[in-house]
């Protein structure tokens, strides 16, 4: 850099108008070379930035299905949770019906759960004070079936026989 | 030297790109695990609440069902305790109220508690409780007064 400046100064100190030109041309020519270098670096930088953008887009494209699958799994879990609570409430209703002398299977069927297994103990409820009736349900959950999973939700409720 | 330098820059860039990818994966997986844990915790608490509601209803009904008015032993809270335990709950409170002139001569109010199955959740939140009130309804007495005639 220092040498370059010296050359330019010498060129301009010769006084002639024409004498200044070679210096300028030389300088211009040298600058052109440097600009070429800068251009290459800039091009490399642009290429690198484009590469990074491309790789990030690729990573996103690879991650998106995984994220979508995880979101679906979470939604299924949430739906299964709501279903489990509903099944527990259904077991209570069925046990209340059995304790009152009604048919618990009918209660379960009316709730749209005809595919549930219903176990009543004792099968024929008495009418004495202090007796209890126990209803056990095994209901196939619908939410996990979306993912091809089969799971039965158990729910148990015990109620006193209503005299 | 320049070539090596460029290669170094490229390697560093690759490492940085990889780091970005790893960070994204870690954030996504961490968020999913966290959301899953929250969902399972909510499920556990929701189920415990449902079971507590069932146990409270059963305990209140059992307490009323043993009243001497309906031929029972009169041990309201003992019966309530038995039904609460049969539904996987613990009877925390039991109160029997008698009202000779009201529509319900006997009222049994109970509070039961159910512990969530997850030990960390049970330690953090404690048991889930539910309340219920059972009462005996008095049948309306028939009106035996003679009807007014014209």
């Amino acid at each position: 850099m220092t040498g370059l400046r010296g050359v330019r100064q010498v060129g301009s100190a010769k006084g002639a108008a024409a004498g200044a030109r070679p210096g300028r041309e030389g300088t211009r020519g040298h600058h052109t070379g440097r600009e070429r270098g800068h251009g290459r670096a800039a091009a490399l930088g642009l290429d690198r930035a484009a590469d990074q953008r491309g790789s990030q887009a690729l990573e996103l494209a690879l991650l998106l299905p995984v994220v979508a699958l995880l979101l679906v799994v979470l939604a299924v879990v949430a739906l299964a949770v709501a279903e489990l609570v509903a099944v527990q409430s259904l077991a209570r209703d069925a046990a209340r019906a059995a304790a009152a002398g009604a048919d618990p299977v009918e209660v379960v069927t009316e709730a749209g759960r005809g595919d549930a297994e219903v176990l009543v103990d004792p099968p024929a409820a008495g009418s004495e004070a202090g007796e209890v009736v126990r209803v056990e349900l095994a209901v196939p959950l619908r939410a996990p079936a979306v993912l091809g999973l089969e799971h039965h939700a158990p729910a148990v409720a015990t109620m006193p026989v209503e005299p | 030297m320049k070539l090596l330098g460029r290669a170094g820059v490229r390697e560093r860039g690759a490492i940085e790109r990889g780091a970005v990818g790893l960070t994204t994966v870690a954030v996504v997986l961490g968020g999913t695990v966290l959301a899953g844990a929250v969902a399972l915790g909510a499920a556990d608490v929701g189920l415990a609440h449902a079971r507590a509601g069932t146990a409270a209803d059963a305990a209140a009904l059992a307490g009323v069902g043993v009243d001497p008015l309906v031929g029972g032993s009169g041990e309201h809270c003992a019966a309530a305790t038995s039904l609460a335990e049969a539904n996987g709950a613990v009877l925390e409170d039991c109160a029997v109220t008698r009202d000779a002139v009201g529509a319900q001569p006997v009222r049994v109010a109970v509070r039961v508690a159910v512990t969530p199955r997850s030990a960390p959740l049970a330690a953090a939140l404690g048991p889930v409780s539910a309340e219920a009130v059972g009462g005996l309804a008095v049948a309306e007495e028939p009106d035996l007064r003679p009807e007014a005639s014209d």
Side-chain angles (χ1 to χ4, degrees):
Chain A
M1 286 291 276
T2 312
L4 208 75
R5 276 180 196 157
V7 170
R8 202 194 300 173
Q9 280 168 2
V10 168
S12 60
K14 284 187 177 172
R21 288 185 70 188
R24 273 187 203 159
E25 278 174 5
T27 307
R28 196 181 295 162
H30 197 82
H31 275 190
T32 306
R34 288 180 69 198
E35 278 167 7
R36 236 179 251 157
H38 279 305
R40 267 186 218 147
L44 278 175
L46 284 175
D47 285 350
R48 194 178 302 143
D51 281 351
Q52 283 179 358
R53 279 199 299 274
S55 66
Q56 283 169 1
L58 187 62
E59 284 168 2
L60 188 65
L62 289 173
L63 272 176
L64 267 181
V66 179
V67 172
L69 182 66
L70 291 175
L71 285 177
V72 168
V73 169
L74 274 180
V76 166
V77 168
L79 288 175
V81 167
E83 222 175 336
L84 281 173
V85 174
V87 166
Q88 180 61 44
S89 295
L90 185 59
R92 171 170 52 181
D93 293 345
R96 282 296 300 273
D103 186 9
V105 178
E106 193 177 333
V107 172
V108 174
T109 307
E110 281 179 2
R113 290 297 193 166
D115 52 351
E117 294 175 20
V118 185
L119 187 66
V120 185
D121 183 29
S127 60
E128 295 293 322
E131 287 186 22
V132 296
V133 59
R134 184 176 187 269
V135 172
E136 189 174 342
L137 299 183
V139 183
L141 292 180
R142 290 167 184 160
V146 173
L147 299 176
L149 301 173
E150 190 178 344
H151 183 71
H152 284 69
V156 182
T158 305
M159 286 286 167
V161 171
E162 295 182 13
Chain B
M1 286 297 286
K2 282 182 181 175
L3 191 62
L4 283 176
R6 241 180 244 167
V9 167
R10 276 185 192 168
E11 281 172 10
R12 194 169 56 212
I15 289 168
E16 282 171 1
R17 285 198 299 275
V20 169
L22 279 177
T23 307
T24 310
V25 169
V27 167
V28 167
L29 288 182
T32 306
V33 168
L34 188 65
V38 169
L40 290 179
D44 203 0
V45 172
L47 275 178
H49 196 266
R51 284 191 294 137
T54 302
D57 281 354
L61 285 172
V64 170
V66 295
D67 192 81
L69 285 175
V70 290
S73 63
E75 296 176 350
H76 304 89
C77 292
T81 302
S82 172
L83 260 293
E85 287 174 355
N87 283 288
V90 175
L91 187 73
E92 284 189 331
D93 192 21
C94 174
V96 182
T97 311
R98 293 194 174 277
D99 183 6
V101 293
Q104 290 185 332
V106 179
R107 285 164 57 92
V108 178
V110 298
R111 189 175 73 239
V112 304
V114 171
T115 306
R117 288 175 183 160
S118 164
L121 204 62
L125 300 178
V128 177
S129 58
E131 296 178 354
V133 178
L136 278 180
V138 177
E140 288 184 9
E141 293 181 2
D143 190 359
L144 300 177
R145 287 177 298 179
E147 290 182 5
S149 57
D150 294 333

